[in-house]
Amino acid sequence: MIIVDTGPLVALGNNRDNFHSASVHLLSRYPGRLLVPSPVLAETCWMLESRVGTDAELKFLDLVRTGCSNSWS
């Protein structure tokens, strides 16, 4: 299990982010569970909505809900 901070999660949802490819590569291939603390969840939602849009925030929340980290590309 790894604890994930806001940066990789925002990069995951923002294909214009400099670390988007690296975040997709790491988070989609990591075989274990990802732990996202509640403040990180809230901050990621806020940043995705403000920088990318509501659809990106909703897609992220759906991934959190389903527990699927390998569906974002």
Side-chain angles (χ1 to χ4, degrees):
M1 179 184 306
I2 60 173
I3 300 172
V4 185
D5 199 9
T6 306
L9 296 175
V10 172
L12 184 71
N14 183 357
N15 61 7
R16 295 176 308 219
D17 190 288
N18 291 337
F19 296 100
H20 175 75
S21 294
S23 294
V24 169
H25 180 80
L26 171 68
L27 297 176
S28 66
R29 288 168 176 77
Y30 180 71
R33 296 184 60 96
L34 304 175
L35 178 64
V36 181
S38 56
V40 170
L41 181 65
E43 184 178 40
T44 300
C45 287
W46 174 75
M47 290 181 78
L48 283 173
E49 197 281 326
S50 66
R51 294 179 181 190
V52 187
T54 303
D55 289 342
E57 179 188 12
L58 292 174
K59 186 171 185 178
F60 169 70
L61 286 172
D62 193 49
L63 291 176
V64 171
R65 181 184 61 81
T66 61
C68 184
S69 63
N70 61 357
S71 301
W72 201 307
S73 49

